[in-house]
Amino acid sequence: MSDLGALPVRAYLAACLLAGVIGLWLGGIAWRERDQPGGTEVALYLLCGGGISLLYAVRVASASELTMVVTLNLATPLVAAIPGLWTAFTLAFAGHDQWRTEHRIVALATPPFAWVLLAWSSATHGLSRRSLTPVVEGPFTLLSFDLGLADVGFVLYAYALCLVGVLVVVDLYQRTGNRYRLQTFVILLGTLFPFLGGIATVVDLGSYANLAWFPSALVVHGVFLYGTVFWLGTLDAAVVARDTAVEVMQDPVIVAGSDGRIRDLNPAAEALLPPDAVGSSLSAVFPRLETGVEHPITIGGRQFDIQEDPITDPRGTDRGHVFLLRDVTERERRQSELERREAELERQNERLEDFAGVVSHDLRNPLAAATAAVELARHDGGENDDALDRAANAHERMDDLIEGLLSLATAGRSVDSADRVSLEATVRRVWSRLESADATLSVEGPDATVLADGDRLEQLLSNLFRNAIEHAGDDVAVRVDIERRPDGVALAVADDGPGIPPDQRSQVTERGVSLGGGTGLGLAIVVDIAEAHGWELSVEESESGGARFVIGGIEPADD
């Protein structure tokens, strides 16, 4: 143990008595005002330290071996409680209430409790306080004993908890910065007293080897803790609330140091980044957080906006950056839906304009022709068959236009639900309904089941087949190719007619454009149906020189 050095033993005894009185007095005050974070732990720490000092003073002043042993045993549970109280205080002071659970408190108290039992029963097993004997040192008789295995274990445990508390206080300073520098400095300074006092007690130095330094040192430490909590002030609500808010935030928060390495993550960020992200380079773990990155970014199927704020010290020196990732997945989904609806509305407006143009010109002209032809037939007394034929043709064209307009009105409507559709079966079913005369159909390639609106797919094929018969003749040979591509399934409808000049292929799908006197709506409807499904239509030349229409990007159905 340790040496009193040049200090008189009587002065040492007076110091123990004074420390004991101060510890019990301040402990009582702290207990009555224990509402502050860590106040209860400070009160118990001072009461234990004061009790240890008074009991040790009695042991030093007494010449009776029995009194020495009794006071030693009474002080044992108080000594055992000190390390756990210190750790509990640092956790409470730093705002880590989530760590102070009942199970963890029991776990902290179990080793000291076991040591107390072993110390009290040391005479039966010798694991603690071996060779208890009174020794005379100067004017006082002191109690001498050797440390047993249990004592060594408790000393190591106590110093380990002391180190844990110190690390918690250091972490607190790193989180709060200069705002609580004085509080953290006072706490760490006070910790030196029991730390060094314990070392001086365990390591025998000087002429009074059986005197202990740590009882008074515990009270001094308790006074430092009392001053920190009740005079300087603990963490205010704003700091604790800020830390708590960051922990419970649903948005990820990432803290990076000035060296570009990740220093801290909240639980939301921990779930987003790899387990070993803390301490790693930010650019390596998350390169998309670099300044100037385009927002939003997509991570794991969700989209985030990034807010970056610098961390600076009072001198303005760069200490790192805080990244807040705001989950904007729903916002972006609503924006995409709004843009889709706006695009659909724009397409509908364009079709309305087309309808107005068709009604004002294409329908009005054949109607006028029909009216004139009928009037002429009336004047001729029904003898002019040509006039009646023209009227019939005009009415037929009007019927085609009306049918085309009705189809065009629904062709571009978005596809809300898709069915599993067999392409080959749909092609043959649509062909069988046409009055194809001498026209022939061949289907090449393996059948494919795709996702599509069955009725509108049939309308698309019907328009392509009618277009082939109208422009290539009643004996046209139509070939349908089905092939699988990396971007989905492609469906091609080709004929052996005169084909479409290259400079006109981009125009034939426009509304009102017809190269053979048709309504100019059939291929426009095909384009609208394809776009409503998200497909692409291209116009090519067939192998026989005719026209070939390719619909690509058709989504195959999952097998």
Side-chain angles (χ1 to χ4, degrees), residues 501-556:
D503 59 343
Q504 296 181 347
R505 290 174 186 170
S506 62
Q507 303 174 8
V508 294
T509 57
E510 297 178 2
R511 295 176 179 86
V513 176
S514 175
L515 301 184
T519 62
L521 297 178
L523 294 181
I525 293 173
V526 170
V527 172
D528 282 349
I529 293 175
E531 289 181 352
H533 283 83
W535 305 337
E536 294 183 0
L537 174 69
S538 60
V539 182
E540 303 174 355
E541 182 180 351
S542 67
E543 294 180 355
S544 60
R548 187 171 189 261
F549 298 90
V550 182
I551 298 95
I554 304 175
E555 182 180 358

Coordinates of all heavy atoms in Angstrom, one line a residue, residues 501-556:
P501 N -42.5 5.2 -99.3 CA -41.2 5.9 -99.6 C -40.5 6.3 -98.2 O -41.2 6.7 -97.3 CB -41.6 7.1 -100.4 CG -42.9 6.7 -101.0 CD -43.6 5.9 -100.0
P502 N -39.2 6.2 -98.2 CA -38.5 6.5 -96.9 C -38.8 7.9 -96.4 O -38.8 8.1 -95.2 CB -37.0 6.3 -97.4 CG -37.0 5.4 -98.5 CD -38.3 5.7 -99.2
D503 N -38.9 8.9 -97.3 CA -39.1 10.2 -96.8 C -40.6 10.5 -96.3 O -40.9 11.5 -95.7 CB -38.9 11.2 -97.9 CG -39.7 11.0 -99.2 OD1 -40.3 9.9 -99.3 OD2 -39.8 11.9 -100.0
Q504 N -41.4 9.5 -96.4 CA -42.8 9.6 -95.9 C -43.1 8.7 -94.8 O -44.2 8.7 -94.2 CB -43.8 9.4 -97.1 CG -43.7 10.4 -98.2 CD -44.7 10.1 -99.3 OE1 -45.3 9.0 -99.4 NE2 -44.9 11.1 -100.2
R505 N -42.2 7.9 -94.3 CA -42.4 6.9 -93.3 C -42.7 7.6 -91.9 O -43.4 7.0 -91.1 CB -41.2 5.9 -93.1 CG -41.1 5.0 -94.3 CD -39.9 4.2 -94.3 NE -39.7 3.4 -95.5 CZ -38.6 2.7 -95.8 NH1 -37.6 2.7 -95.0 NH2 -38.6 2.0 -97.0
S506 N -42.1 8.7 -91.7 CA -42.3 9.4 -90.4 C -43.6 10.2 -90.4 O -44.1 10.7 -89.4 CB -41.2 10.4 -90.1 OG -41.1 11.4 -91.2
Q507 N -44.3 10.3 -91.6 CA -45.5 11.1 -91.7 C -46.8 10.2 -91.7 O -47.9 10.7 -91.3 CB -45.5 11.9 -93.0 CG -44.3 12.8 -93.1 CD -44.2 13.6 -94.4 OE1 -45.2 13.5 -95.2 NE2 -43.1 14.2 -94.7
V508 N -46.6 8.9 -92.1 CA -47.8 8.1 -92.3 C -48.6 7.8 -91.0 O -49.7 7.5 -91.0 CB -47.5 6.8 -93.0 CG1 -47.0 7.1 -94.4 CG2 -46.5 6.0 -92.2
T509 N -47.9 8.0 -89.9 CA -48.5 7.7 -88.6 C -49.2 8.9 -88.0 O -49.8 8.8 -86.9 CB -47.5 7.1 -87.6 OG1 -46.4 8.0 -87.4 CG2 -47.0 5.8 -88.1
E510 N -49.1 10.1 -88.7 CA -49.7 11.3 -88.2 C -51.2 11.3 -88.5 O -51.6 10.7 -89.5 CB -49.0 12.5 -88.8 CG -47.5 12.7 -88.4 CD -46.9 13.9 -89.1 OE1 -47.7 14.6 -89.8 OE2 -45.7 14.1 -88.9
R511 N -51.9 11.9 -87.6 CA -53.4 12.0 -87.8 C -53.8 12.7 -89.1 O -53.2 13.8 -89.3 CB -54.0 12.6 -86.6 CG -53.9 11.8 -85.3 CD -54.5 12.6 -84.1 NE -54.3 11.8 -82.9 CZ -53.3 11.9 -82.1 NH1 -52.3 12.6 -82.4 NH2 -53.2 11.1 -81.0
G512 N -54.7 12.1 -89.9 CA -55.1 12.8 -91.1 C -54.3 12.6 -92.3 O -54.6 13.1 -93.4
V513 N -53.1 11.9 -92.1 CA -52.2 11.6 -93.3 C -52.5 10.2 -93.8 O -52.5 9.2 -93.1 CB -50.8 11.7 -92.9 CG1 -49.9 11.4 -94.0 CG2 -50.5 13.1 -92.4
S514 N -52.8 10.1 -95.1 CA -53.1 8.9 -95.8 C -52.5 8.9 -97.2 O -52.7 9.9 -97.9 CB -54.6 8.6 -95.9 OG -54.8 7.4 -96.6
L515 N -51.8 7.9 -97.6 CA -51.2 7.8 -98.9 C -52.1 7.2 -99.9 O -51.8 7.2 -101.1 CB -49.8 7.0 -98.9 CG -48.8 7.6 -97.9 CD1 -47.5 6.7 -98.0 CD2 -48.5 9.0 -98.2
G516 N -53.2 6.7 -99.5 CA -54.1 6.0 -100.4 C -55.5 6.4 -100.4 O -56.4 5.7 -100.7
G517 N -55.8 7.6 -99.9 CA -57.1 8.1 -99.8 C -58.0 7.7 -98.6 O -59.2 7.8 -98.7
G518 N -57.3 7.1 -97.6 CA -58.1 6.6 -96.5 C -58.4 7.8 -95.5 O -58.2 9.0 -95.9
T519 N -58.8 7.4 -94.3 CA -59.2 8.5 -93.4 C -58.0 9.1 -92.7 O -58.1 10.2 -92.2 CB -60.1 7.9 -92.3 OG1 -59.3 6.9 -91.5 CG2 -61.3 7.2 -92.8
G520 N -56.8 8.4 -92.7 CA -55.6 9.0 -92.1 C -55.7 8.8 -90.6 O -54.9 9.4 -89.8
L521 N -56.6 8.0 -90.1 CA -56.7 7.8 -88.6 C -56.2 6.4 -88.2 O -55.9 6.2 -87.0 CB -58.1 7.9 -88.2 CG -58.7 9.3 -88.4 CD1 -60.2 9.3 -87.9 CD2 -57.9 10.4 -87.6
G522 N -56.2 5.4 -89.1 CA -55.9 4.0 -88.7 C -54.5 3.9 -88.0 O -54.4 3.3 -87.0
L523 N -53.5 4.4 -88.7 CA -52.1 4.3 -88.2 C -51.9 5.2 -87.0 O -51.1 4.9 -86.0 CB -51.1 4.6 -89.2 CG -51.0 3.6 -90.4 CD1 -49.9 4.0 -91.4 CD2 -50.7 2.2 -89.8
A524 N -52.6 6.3 -86.9 CA -52.5 7.2 -85.7 C -53.1 6.5 -84.5 O -52.5 6.7 -83.4 CB -53.3 8.5 -86.0
I525 N -54.1 5.7 -84.7 CA -54.7 4.9 -83.6 C -53.7 3.9 -83.1 O -53.5 3.6 -81.9 CB -56.0 4.3 -84.0 CG1 -57.1 5.4 -84.2 CG2 -56.5 3.3 -83.0 CD1 -58.3 4.8 -84.8
V526 N -53.0 3.3 -84.1 CA -51.9 2.3 -83.8 C -50.8 3.0 -82.9 O -50.4 2.4 -81.9 CB -51.3 1.7 -85.1 CG1 -50.0 0.9 -84.7 CG2 -52.3 0.9 -85.8
V527 N -50.4 4.2 -83.3 CA -49.4 4.9 -82.5 C -49.9 5.2 -81.1 O -49.2 5.0 -80.1 CB -49.0 6.2 -83.2 CG1 -48.1 7.0 -82.3 CG2 -48.3 5.9 -84.5
D528 N -51.2 5.6 -80.9 CA -51.7 5.9 -79.6 C -51.8 4.7 -78.7 O -51.5 4.7 -77.5 CB -53.1 6.6 -79.8 CG -53.0 8.0 -80.2 OD1 -51.9 8.6 -80.1 OD2 -54.0 8.6 -80.5
I529 N -52.2 3.6 -79.3 CA -52.3 2.4 -78.5 C -50.9 1.9 -78.1 O -50.7 1.5 -76.9 CB -53.0 1.3 -79.3 CG1 -54.5 1.6 -79.6 CG2 -52.9 -0.1 -78.6 CD1 -55.2 0.6 -80.5
A530 N -49.9 2.0 -79.0 CA -48.6 1.6 -78.6 C -48.0 2.5 -77.5 O -47.4 2.0 -76.5 CB -47.7 1.7 -79.8
E531 N -48.2 3.8 -77.6 CA -47.7 4.7 -76.6 C -48.4 4.5 -75.3 O -47.8 4.7 -74.2 CB -47.9 6.2 -77.1 CG -46.9 6.6 -78.2 CD -47.1 8.0 -78.6 OE1 -48.1 8.6 -78.1 OE2 -46.4 8.5 -79.4
A532 N -49.7 4.2 -75.3 CA -50.4 4.0 -74.0 C -49.8 2.8 -73.3 O -49.9 2.7 -72.1 CB -51.9 3.8 -74.3
H533 N -49.3 1.8 -74.0 CA -48.7 0.6 -73.4 C -47.2 0.9 -73.1 O -46.6 0.0 -72.4 CB -48.8 -0.6 -74.3 CG -50.1 -1.2 -74.4 ND1 -51.1 -0.8 -75.2 CD2 -50.6 -2.3 -73.7 CE1 -52.2 -1.5 -75.0 NE2 -51.9 -2.5 -74.1
G534 N -46.6 1.9 -73.6 CA -45.2 2.1 -73.4 C -44.3 1.4 -74.5 O -43.1 1.2 -74.3
W535 N -45.0 1.1 -75.6 CA -44.3 0.4 -76.7 C -43.8 1.5 -77.7 O -44.2 2.7 -77.7 CB -45.2 -0.5 -77.4 CG -45.8 -1.6 -76.5 CD1 -45.3 -2.0 -75.4 CD2 -47.0 -2.3 -76.8 NE1 -46.2 -3.0 -74.8 CE2 -47.2 -3.2 -75.7 CE3 -48.0 -2.3 -77.8 CZ2 -48.3 -4.0 -75.6 CZ3 -49.1 -3.2 -77.7 CH2 -49.2 -4.0 -76.6
E536 N -42.9 1.0 -78.6 CA -42.4 1.9 -79.7 C -42.8 1.3 -81.1 O -42.7 0.1 -81.3 CB -40.9 2.1 -79.6 CG -40.5 2.8 -78.3 CD -38.9 2.9 -78.3 OE1 -38.3 2.5 -79.3 OE2 -38.4 3.5 -77.3
L537 N -43.2 2.2 -82.0 CA -43.6 1.8 -83.3 C -42.6 2.4 -84.3 O -42.3 3.6 -84.3 CB -45.0 2.3 -83.7 CG -45.5 2.1 -85.1 CD1 -45.7 0.6 -85.3 CD2 -46.8 2.9 -85.4
S538 N -42.1 1.6 -85.2 CA -41.2 2.0 -86.2 C -41.7 1.5 -87.6 O -42.3 0.4 -87.7 CB -39.8 1.5 -86.0 OG -39.7 0.1 -85.9
V539 N -41.5 2.3 -88.6 CA -41.9 1.9 -90.0 C -40.7 1.5 -90.8 O -39.7 2.3 -90.9 CB -42.7 3.1 -90.6 CG1 -43.2 2.7 -92.0 CG2 -43.8 3.5 -89.7
E540 N -40.7 0.4 -91.4 CA -39.6 -0.1 -92.2 C -40.1 -0.7 -93.6 O -41.3 -0.6 -93.9 CB -38.9 -1.3 -91.4 CG -38.4 -0.9 -90.0 CD -37.8 -2.0 -89.3 OE1 -37.9 -3.2 -89.8 OE2 -37.4 -1.9 -88.1
E541 N -39.1 -1.2 -94.3 CA -39.4 -1.9 -95.6 C -39.4 -3.4 -95.4 O -38.4 -3.9 -94.8 CB -38.4 -1.4 -96.6 CG -38.7 -2.0 -98.0 CD -37.7 -1.6 -99.1 OE1 -36.9 -0.7 -98.8 OE2 -37.7 -2.1 -100.2
S542 N -40.4 -4.1 -95.9 CA -40.4 -5.5 -95.8 C -39.4 -6.2 -96.7 O -38.9 -5.5 -97.6 CB -41.8 -6.0 -96.0 OG -42.2 -5.8 -97.4
E543 N -39.2 -7.5 -96.6 CA -38.3 -8.2 -97.5 C -38.8 -8.2 -98.9 O -38.0 -8.2 -99.8 CB -38.2 -9.6 -97.0 CG -37.5 -9.8 -95.6 CD -37.4 -11.2 -95.2 OE1 -37.9 -12.1 -95.9 OE2 -36.8 -11.5 -94.1
S544 N -40.1 -8.1 -99.1 CA -40.6 -8.1 -100.5 C -40.8 -6.7 -101.0 O -41.4 -6.5 -102.1 CB -42.0 -8.8 -100.5 OG -42.9 -8.2 -99.6
G545 N -40.3 -5.7 -100.3 CA -40.4 -4.3 -100.7 C -41.7 -3.5 -100.2 O -41.9 -2.4 -100.6
G546 N -42.5 -4.2 -99.5 CA -43.7 -3.6 -99.0 C -43.4 -2.8 -97.7 O -42.3 -2.5 -97.3
A547 N -44.5 -2.6 -97.0 CA -44.4 -1.8 -95.7 C -44.3 -2.9 -94.5 O -44.9 -4.0 -94.6 CB -45.6 -1.0 -95.5
R548 N -43.5 -2.5 -93.5 CA -43.3 -3.3 -92.3 C -43.4 -2.4 -91.1 O -42.7 -1.5 -91.0 CB -42.0 -4.0 -92.4 CG -41.8 -5.1 -91.3 CD -40.5 -5.8 -91.5 NE -40.4 -7.0 -90.7 CZ -39.6 -7.0 -89.6 NH1 -38.9 -5.9 -89.2 NH2 -39.5 -8.0 -88.8
F549 N -44.4 -2.7 -90.2 CA -44.6 -2.0 -89.0 C -44.1 -2.8 -87.8 O -44.6 -4.0 -87.6 CB -46.0 -1.6 -88.8 CG -46.5 -0.7 -89.9 CD1 -47.1 -1.3 -91.1 CD2 -46.5 0.7 -89.8 CE1 -47.6 -0.4 -92.1 CE2 -46.9 1.5 -90.8 CZ -47.5 0.9 -92.0
V550 N -43.2 -2.3 -87.0 CA -42.6 -3.1 -85.9 C -43.0 -2.4 -84.6 O -42.7 -1.2 -84.4 CB -41.0 -3.1 -86.0 CG1 -40.4 -3.9 -84.9 CG2 -40.6 -3.7 -87.4
I551 N -43.6 -3.2 -83.7 CA -43.9 -2.7 -82.4 C -42.9 -3.3 -81.4 O -42.9 -4.6 -81.2 CB -45.3 -3.0 -82.0 CG1 -46.3 -2.3 -82.9 CG2 -45.6 -2.6 -80.5 CD1 -46.8 -3.2 -84.0
G552 N -42.0 -2.6 -80.8 CA -41.0 -3.1 -79.9 C -41.2 -2.7 -78.4 O -42.0 -1.8 -78.1
G553 N -40.5 -3.4 -77.5 CA -40.6 -3.1 -76.1 C -41.8 -3.7 -75.4 O -42.2 -3.2 -74.4
I554 N -42.4 -4.7 -76.0 CA -43.6 -5.3 -75.4 C -43.1 -6.2 -74.2 O -42.2 -7.0 -74.3 CB -44.4 -6.2 -76.4 CG1 -44.8 -5.4 -77.6 CG2 -45.6 -6.8 -75.7 CD1 -45.4 -6.2 -78.7
E555 N -43.7 -6.0 -73.0 CA -43.3 -6.7 -71.8 C -43.7 -8.1 -71.8 O -44.9 -8.4 -71.9 CB -43.8 -5.9 -70.6 CG -43.3 -6.6 -69.3 CD -43.8 -5.9 -68.1 OE1 -44.6 -4.9 -68.3 OE2 -43.6 -6.3 -67.0
P556 N -42.8 -9.1 -71.7 CA -43.2 -10.5 -71.7 C -43.8 -10.8 -70.3 O -43.5 -10.2 -69.3 CB -41.9 -11.2 -71.9 CG -40.9 -10.3 -71.4 CD -41.3 -8.9 -71.7

